[in-house]
Amino acid sequence: MAVMSEFLDRGYNVAVPEVDIGDDIFVVRDRSGEYRRIQVKTSYAKPTGKGTSARYSLRRDRLVTPTAPETWYVFVRRLEDQWLDHILITREQLHAYHRASDMGSLSKKGFVILYIKSEAELTICSGVDLSAHVNDWSDWPRVPH
Amino acid sequence: MSKLTVLVGMQSDGYVFRLEPLSKRLLEQQGDPDGTVSSIFISYDTKHHFEQIHGRIWEHVITLLTGSSFEDLNRAGGFTVVDPVTNETLYDSVAQHV
């Protein structure tokens, strides 16, 4: 709901599939009809000594499979009673990090496990700097109405 | 250049093609040519009709993704089309033209 609210606030429309087909929500730019698939991943962040750590489990088959339109992941973190900054990243970029930088570990059941850690302004996962993706709404400019 | 890999996703309405991340990185390191696209969607109908007249569509897909001709790519090492979920090789340009 938090992610949907953010997209709505930016002027996009949001659709939720009636049947679970793998994508959590579709975000639609009404004027052009352009839509994108969004996978929302939510985790309760745990405080560490210097920041927070959140664990996510992604289906590997969805991570490695190209889609049209491209799929976006939005990583949501809840720390006690507040939301931390969202992390927005395309499936393609996440797959590239996974393949090229060994980001995440593969579970026996075919899931990619990510631990996203934030300390001050730095957000990393398996040594990959994800800071540029934190609150990166640059691909979702506000739509004037 | 080592063999490039094209990943294919099969949706309800067609195929989606993208270069595998390491293949994409390899091309970027060599200098991305102009006129490439990052992904291609082809409906099942389109593929079927196209291939009835023109033959395999993979060879045209790789040209759009890389900017290089099929012949040039084969000379440089070739390419494969792979289902990333099953790791099944759907097409191997070198094996097809031996």
Side-chain angles (χ1 to χ4, degrees):
Chain A
M1 292 298 292
V3 173
M4 288 171 61
S5 298
E6 184 66 41
F7 280 113
L8 288 168
D9 182 59
R10 290 179 168 272
Y12 297 86
N13 210 337
V14 178
V16 179
E18 286 285 332
V19 177
D20 183 2
I21 55 172
D23 297 306
D24 290 332
I25 59 177
F26 292 97
V27 175
V28 183
R29 186 163 180 167
D30 283 332
R31 196 167 290 179
S32 63
E34 177 191 357
Y35 77 98
R36 296 185 190 173
R37 307 162 180 251
I38 311 291
Q39 282 272 318
V40 180
K41 310 302 292 186
T42 306
S43 175
Y44 283 99
K46 294 180 181 177
T48 63
K50 300 177 184 177
T52 63
S53 176
R55 180 185 185 278
Y56 298 92
S57 178
L58 279 59
R59 282 182 54 169
R60 180 193 170 273
D61 59 346
R62 300 232 176 102
L63 175 63
V64 302
T65 303
T67 61
E70 179 60 286
T71 298
W72 280 75
Y73 284 90
V74 180
F75 293 96
V76 177
R77 299 167 293 173
R78 182 82 175 169
L79 179 65
E80 293 172 355
D81 61 349
Q82 53 184 301
W83 298 107
L84 302 180
D85 290 336
H86 299 336
I87 299 167
L88 296 94
I89 185 168
T90 63
R91 181 211 61 82
E92 184 193 17
Q93 181 63 73
L94 201 60
H95 186 203
Y97 287 145
H98 176 60
R99 283 285 286 139
S101 307
D102 286 330
M103 189 172 82
S105 58
L106 198 57
S107 76
K108 290 179 183 177
K109 294 183 179 179
F111 286 83
V112 175
I113 309 299
L114 304 177
Y115 286 93
I116 298 180
K117 300 178 182 180
S118 287
E119 294 177 10
E121 300 300 313
L122 183 64
T123 296
I124 58 172
C125 179
S126 303
V128 177
D129 188 352
L130 299 181
S131 305
H133 300 287
V134 175
N135 259 351
D136 181 17
W137 295 93
S138 57
D139 272 276
W140 311 90
R142 290 189 177 275
V143 179
H145 286 291
Chain B
M1 184 170 73
S2 38
K3 189 177 279 189
L4 297 178
T5 300
V6 175
L7 301 180
V8 58
M10 286 171 262
Q11 307 183 160
S12 60
D13 51 354
Y15 298 94
V16 184
F17 300 94
R18 274 189 186 267
L19 283 173
E20 194 274 340
L22 297 183
S23 292
K24 185 180 177 187
R25 175 182 275 196
L26 184 64
L27 282 182
E28 287 169 352
Q29 288 170 347
Q30 293 175 346
D32 251 339
D34 293 331
T36 62
V37 297
S38 59
S39 74
I40 299 169
F41 171 80
I42 298 174
S43 73
Y44 293 121
D45 279 352
T46 298
K47 180 178 181 292
H48 175 72
H49 293 313
F50 181 94
E51 290 185 334
Q52 282 191 319
I53 300 169
H54 302 290
R56 285 182 294 257
I57 204 166
W58 316 117
E59 297 163 13
H60 301 274
V61 166
I62 192 68
T63 296
L64 289 168
L65 289 175
T66 63
S68 297
S69 71
F70 173 76
E71 292 75 19
D72 286 346
L73 286 169
N74 254 4
R75 275 193 288 271
F79 69 96
T80 54
V81 180
V82 173
D83 179 332
V85 177
T86 63
N87 284 324
E88 178 190 357
T89 298
L90 304 175
Y91 177 79
D92 184 325
S93 67
V94 173
Q96 293 291 326
H97 289 81
V98 168

PDB file of all heavy atoms in Angstrom, chain A residues 92, chain B residues 19 21-33:
ATOM      1  N   GLU A  92      16.521  -5.975 -14.762  1.00  0.00           N
ATOM      2  CA  GLU A  92      17.743  -6.153 -15.558  1.00  0.00           C
ATOM      3  C   GLU A  92      18.976  -5.746 -14.747  1.00  0.00           C
ATOM      4  O   GLU A  92      19.994  -6.448 -14.736  1.00  0.00           O
ATOM      5  CB  GLU A  92      17.667  -5.327 -16.840  1.00  0.00           C
ATOM      6  CG  GLU A  92      18.868  -5.543 -17.755  1.00  0.00           C
ATOM      7  CD  GLU A  92      18.955  -4.515 -18.864  1.00  0.00           C
ATOM      8  OE1 GLU A  92      18.293  -3.460 -18.764  1.00  0.00           O
ATOM      9  OE2 GLU A  92      19.687  -4.770 -19.834  1.00  0.00           O
TER      10      GLU A  92
ATOM     11  N   LEU B  19      20.097  -9.388 -23.947  1.00  0.00           N
ATOM     12  CA  LEU B  19      21.422  -9.962 -23.777  1.00  0.00           C
ATOM     13  C   LEU B  19      21.621 -10.344 -22.314  1.00  0.00           C
ATOM     14  O   LEU B  19      21.166  -9.653 -21.411  1.00  0.00           O
ATOM     15  CB  LEU B  19      22.500  -8.944 -24.169  1.00  0.00           C
ATOM     16  CG  LEU B  19      22.727  -8.737 -25.665  1.00  0.00           C
ATOM     17  CD1 LEU B  19      23.685  -7.580 -25.890  1.00  0.00           C
ATOM     18  CD2 LEU B  19      23.262 -10.003 -26.324  1.00  0.00           C
ATOM     19  N   PRO B  21      23.509 -10.509 -18.868  1.00  0.00           N
ATOM     20  CA  PRO B  21      24.287  -9.391 -18.319  1.00  0.00           C
ATOM     21  C   PRO B  21      25.779  -9.425 -18.637  1.00  0.00           C
ATOM     22  O   PRO B  21      26.361  -8.391 -18.965  1.00  0.00           O
ATOM     23  CB  PRO B  21      24.039  -9.516 -16.811  1.00  0.00           C
ATOM     24  CG  PRO B  21      22.690 -10.117 -16.706  1.00  0.00           C
ATOM     25  CD  PRO B  21      22.598 -11.064 -17.849  1.00  0.00           C
ATOM     26  N   LEU B  22      26.405 -10.570 -18.564  1.00  0.00           N
ATOM     27  CA  LEU B  22      27.842 -10.605 -18.830  1.00  0.00           C
ATOM     28  C   LEU B  22      28.126 -10.384 -20.315  1.00  0.00           C
ATOM     29  O   LEU B  22      29.150  -9.791 -20.671  1.00  0.00           O
ATOM     30  CB  LEU B  22      28.437 -11.931 -18.360  1.00  0.00           C
ATOM     31  CG  LEU B  22      28.346 -12.191 -16.850  1.00  0.00           C
ATOM     32  CD1 LEU B  22      29.024 -13.503 -16.470  1.00  0.00           C
ATOM     33  CD2 LEU B  22      28.961 -11.040 -16.058  1.00  0.00           C
ATOM     34  N   SER B  23      27.237 -10.836 -21.173  1.00  0.00           N
ATOM     35  CA  SER B  23      27.398 -10.587 -22.610  1.00  0.00           C
ATOM     36  C   SER B  23      27.226  -9.113 -22.906  1.00  0.00           C
ATOM     37  O   SER B  23      27.949  -8.543 -23.727  1.00  0.00           O
ATOM     38  CB  SER B  23      26.382 -11.401 -23.422  1.00  0.00           C
ATOM     39  OG  SER B  23      26.660 -12.789 -23.346  1.00  0.00           O
ATOM     40  N   LYS B  24      26.275  -8.520 -22.241  1.00  0.00           N
ATOM     41  CA  LYS B  24      26.049  -7.094 -22.425  1.00  0.00           C
ATOM     42  C   LYS B  24      27.272  -6.303 -21.979  1.00  0.00           C
ATOM     43  O   LYS B  24      27.713  -5.367 -22.649  1.00  0.00           O
ATOM     44  CB  LYS B  24      24.812  -6.645 -21.635  1.00  0.00           C
ATOM     45  CG  LYS B  24      24.441  -5.194 -21.869  1.00  0.00           C
ATOM     46  CD  LYS B  24      23.220  -4.806 -21.080  1.00  0.00           C
ATOM     47  CE  LYS B  24      22.918  -3.320 -21.274  1.00  0.00           C
ATOM     48  NZ  LYS B  24      21.831  -2.844 -20.403  1.00  0.00           N
ATOM     49  N   ARG B  25      27.827  -6.707 -20.855  1.00  0.00           N
ATOM     50  CA  ARG B  25      29.007  -6.022 -20.346  1.00  0.00           C
ATOM     51  C   ARG B  25      30.174  -6.177 -21.323  1.00  0.00           C
ATOM     52  O   ARG B  25      30.927  -5.234 -21.558  1.00  0.00           O
ATOM     53  CB  ARG B  25      29.397  -6.594 -18.992  1.00  0.00           C
ATOM     54  CG  ARG B  25      30.706  -6.015 -18.449  1.00  0.00           C
ATOM     55  CD  ARG B  25      31.091  -6.653 -17.126  1.00  0.00           C
ATOM     56  NE  ARG B  25      30.432  -6.003 -16.022  1.00  0.00           N
ATOM     57  CZ  ARG B  25      30.814  -6.151 -14.747  1.00  0.00           C
ATOM     58  NH1 ARG B  25      31.819  -6.930 -14.443  1.00  0.00           N
ATOM     59  NH2 ARG B  25      30.164  -5.551 -13.780  1.00  0.00           N
ATOM     60  N   LEU B  26      30.306  -7.345 -21.882  1.00  0.00           N
ATOM     61  CA  LEU B  26      31.387  -7.601 -22.845  1.00  0.00           C
ATOM     62  C   LEU B  26      31.272  -6.649 -24.030  1.00  0.00           C
ATOM     63  O   LEU B  26      32.253  -6.045 -24.475  1.00  0.00           O
ATOM     64  CB  LEU B  26      31.311  -9.053 -23.320  1.00  0.00           C
ATOM     65  CG  LEU B  26      32.404  -9.538 -24.255  1.00  0.00           C
ATOM     66  CD1 LEU B  26      33.749  -9.513 -23.553  1.00  0.00           C
ATOM     67  CD2 LEU B  26      32.101 -10.956 -24.732  1.00  0.00           C
ATOM     68  N   LEU B  27      30.079  -6.489 -24.547  1.00  0.00           N
ATOM     69  CA  LEU B  27      29.881  -5.587 -25.684  1.00  0.00           C
ATOM     70  C   LEU B  27      30.146  -4.142 -25.299  1.00  0.00           C
ATOM     71  O   LEU B  27      30.716  -3.373 -26.073  1.00  0.00           O
ATOM     72  CB  LEU B  27      28.446  -5.716 -26.206  1.00  0.00           C
ATOM     73  CG  LEU B  27      28.138  -6.933 -27.063  1.00  0.00           C
ATOM     74  CD1 LEU B  27      26.699  -6.880 -27.542  1.00  0.00           C
ATOM     75  CD2 LEU B  27      29.076  -7.007 -28.256  1.00  0.00           C
ATOM     76  N   GLU B  28      29.734  -3.773 -24.099  1.00  0.00           N
ATOM     77  CA  GLU B  28      29.961  -2.398 -23.637  1.00  0.00           C
ATOM     78  C   GLU B  28      31.445  -2.108 -23.521  1.00  0.00           C
ATOM     79  O   GLU B  28      31.911  -1.016 -23.830  1.00  0.00           O
ATOM     80  CB  GLU B  28      29.255  -2.180 -22.298  1.00  0.00           C
ATOM     81  CG  GLU B  28      27.738  -2.076 -22.407  1.00  0.00           C
ATOM     82  CD  GLU B  28      27.039  -2.125 -21.058  1.00  0.00           C
ATOM     83  OE1 GLU B  28      27.697  -2.400 -20.022  1.00  0.00           O
ATOM     84  OE2 GLU B  28      25.819  -1.885 -21.025  1.00  0.00           O
ATOM     85  N   GLN B  29      32.191  -3.095 -23.089  1.00  0.00           N
ATOM     86  CA  GLN B  29      33.638  -2.903 -22.962  1.00  0.00           C
ATOM     87  C   GLN B  29      34.298  -2.741 -24.323  1.00  0.00           C
ATOM     88  O   GLN B  29      35.338  -2.091 -24.446  1.00  0.00           O
ATOM     89  CB  GLN B  29      34.253  -4.091 -22.204  1.00  0.00           C
ATOM     90  CG  GLN B  29      33.918  -4.088 -20.728  1.00  0.00           C
ATOM     91  CD  GLN B  29      34.314  -5.369 -20.025  1.00  0.00           C
ATOM     92  OE1 GLN B  29      34.630  -6.376 -20.661  1.00  0.00           O
ATOM     93  NE2 GLN B  29      34.282  -5.348 -18.708  1.00  0.00           N
ATOM     94  N   GLN B  30      33.673  -3.331 -25.330  1.00  0.00           N
ATOM     95  CA  GLN B  30      34.228  -3.222 -26.679  1.00  0.00           C
ATOM     96  C   GLN B  30      33.719  -1.990 -27.395  1.00  0.00           C
ATOM     97  O   GLN B  30      34.107  -1.729 -28.523  1.00  0.00           O
ATOM     98  CB  GLN B  30      33.869  -4.475 -27.477  1.00  0.00           C
ATOM     99  CG  GLN B  30      34.552  -5.717 -26.952  1.00  0.00           C
ATOM    100  CD  GLN B  30      34.100  -6.971 -27.671  1.00  0.00           C
ATOM    101  OE1 GLN B  30      33.109  -6.955 -28.385  1.00  0.00           O
ATOM    102  NE2 GLN B  30      34.838  -8.044 -27.485  1.00  0.00           N
ATOM    103  N   GLY B  31      32.818  -1.260 -26.732  1.00  0.00           N
ATOM    104  CA  GLY B  31      32.251  -0.068 -27.350  1.00  0.00           C
ATOM    105  C   GLY B  31      30.937  -0.398 -28.022  1.00  0.00           C
ATOM    106  O   GLY B  31      30.898  -1.029 -29.051  1.00  0.00           O
ATOM    107  N   ASP B  32      29.852   0.035 -27.392  1.00  0.00           N
ATOM    108  CA  ASP B  32      28.520  -0.241 -27.923  1.00  0.00           C
ATOM    109  C   ASP B  32      28.342   0.373 -29.310  1.00  0.00           C
ATOM    110  O   ASP B  32      28.501   1.583 -29.476  1.00  0.00           O
ATOM    111  CB  ASP B  32      27.454   0.386 -27.009  1.00  0.00           C
ATOM    112  CG  ASP B  32      26.703  -0.666 -26.245  1.00  0.00           C
ATOM    113  OD1 ASP B  32      26.713  -1.825 -26.686  1.00  0.00           O
ATOM    114  OD2 ASP B  32      26.102  -0.322 -25.231  1.00  0.00           O
ATOM    115  N   PRO B  33      27.992  -0.420 -30.297  1.00  0.00           N
ATOM    116  CA  PRO B  33      27.727   0.184 -31.611  1.00  0.00           C
ATOM    117  C   PRO B  33      26.405   0.937 -31.582  1.00  0.00           C
ATOM    118  O   PRO B  33      25.579   0.734 -30.697  1.00  0.00           O
ATOM    119  CB  PRO B  33      27.635  -1.033 -32.542  1.00  0.00           C
ATOM    120  CG  PRO B  33      27.253  -2.162 -31.648  1.00  0.00           C
ATOM    121  CD  PRO B  33      27.830  -1.861 -30.305  1.00  0.00           C
TER     122      PRO B  33
END
